[in-house]
Amino acid sequence: AMYRGAAEIYRGHYAVADKLLHDVRRTAGPDQPAVIGKALWLLGVSQQLRGAYDAANHRYLEARPFYEKAREPENLGAISYLLAEALRSSGQIPAGQSEALLGLRLLSPFRRSSHLNNHLAIVAAYARADGLSHAALAIMDEVLDVAPTLDRPKDIAFAHLFRAKDLVVLERLNAARAELDEALRWVDRIDAGPGHDRALADVLLVRGAIEGAEDPQAAVHTLTDVASVY
């Protein structure tokens, strides 16, 4: 039921997912804290994907003590990552920053963790929002240290893309172009489909923005390609 609930969330069948996950929570025994924690985690994701950030945060906070009882620090770190993301989306920046720092402390030992990879990207987003482009760039270096261990080319492509954006802000355009070239190399390794096409468009959008100031004709060509995807 847990795995089916997760699958239904990502199909957008939230009511079906919620029922399945509530059933998991209700039937799990007191000796299964990690199972209860995961059900609450997924109930939070179900709310977050609908834009109900406060409801999502409530579920994530409910999940935390169950992972503490289960003594699962990586999943505790994942809860902080989810909270940091949802709090940022709902404009609760100070609380989100606190969770971001807690998540870093909990996840830093897990260098091959997808949760660490995802969380570093959120921490970088907080740095950018504070105008700390150099800090964001350094954090994306950490992402590039972690992402290759996960065999997820999309993560690596987006790490290079965000580094390129940070470099544009710092007016280091040649370095930004090099990052975009590297991002495109990794986009080519993403399986064909909407995920590949969207990643390609995101990279080309930044390239088009750089070209716009120097070679408007090239920018028009690049942005036309982007428009065909969006």
Side-chain angles (χ1 to χ4, degrees):
M2 182 88 77
Y3 294 110
R4 188 184 160 203
E8 295 294 347
I9 288 172
Y10 293 106
R11 291 189 187 112
H13 301 160
Y14 301 119
V16 174
D18 289 353
K19 183 179 185 307
L20 289 165
L21 295 167
H22 280 299
D23 288 346
V24 170
R25 183 187 180 190
R26 188 179 66 253
T27 57
D31 59 338
Q32 297 177 291
V35 172
I36 299 171
K38 188 65 174 184
L40 290 165
W41 168 339
L42 290 170
L43 283 165
V45 171
S46 175
Q47 293 295 327
Q48 186 169 346
L49 290 175
R50 284 179 268 184
Y53 300 115
D54 289 342
N57 292 333
H58 178 72
R59 292 299 186 191
Y60 298 146
L61 289 170
E62 276 190 297
R64 177 172 277 161
F66 291 100
Y67 282 121
E68 289 172 344
K69 184 177 180 181
R71 297 182 179 179
E72 294 189 0
E74 184 179 1
N75 283 327
L76 273 171
I79 291 297
S80 285
Y81 151 64
L82 291 163
L83 279 163
E85 183 177 42
L87 287 164
R88 177 172 170 266
S89 296
S90 61
Q92 300 179 65
I93 302 303
Q97 288 172 328
S98 295
E99 289 295 341
L101 291 172
L102 176 59
L104 280 179
R105 181 171 63 79
L106 290 166
L107 290 169
S108 59
F110 301 98
R111 299 298 295 175
R112 296 175 64 88
S113 170
S114 62
H115 302 314
L116 175 60
N117 181 81
N118 296 338
H119 187 58
L120 285 166
I122 291 297
V123 174
Y126 273 102
R128 285 186 201 100
D130 280 343
L132 303 174
S133 296
H134 286 287
L137 200 58
I139 295 164
M140 295 315 296
D141 285 341
E142 282 291 297
V143 174
L144 286 173
D145 189 48
V146 174
T149 70
L150 304 175
D151 193 28
R152 298 196 322 201
K154 186 175 180 180
D155 288 346
I156 302 173
F158 275 99
H160 285 292
L161 172 60
F162 280 105
R163 276 183 55 82
K165 290 182 177 181
D166 293 330
L167 288 162
V168 169
V169 172
L170 295 170
E171 299 182 350
R172 295 168 56 187
L173 297 186
N174 287 336
R177 289 189 195 91
E179 292 290 344
L180 291 173
D181 289 343
E182 193 63 25
L184 287 171
R185 279 192 278 275
W186 284 98
V187 167
D188 285 343
R189 303 186 193 187
I190 301 172
D191 292 339
H196 169 275
D197 295 345
R198 183 59 185 266
L200 176 60
D202 286 348
V203 174
L204 292 178
L205 187 62
V206 178
R207 172 176 278 180
I210 294 174
E211 290 172 343
E214 301 171 340
D215 187 346
Q217 192 59 43
V220 168
H221 178 74
T222 299
L223 294 173
T224 299
D225 290 341
V226 173
S228 70
V229 175
Y230 285 114

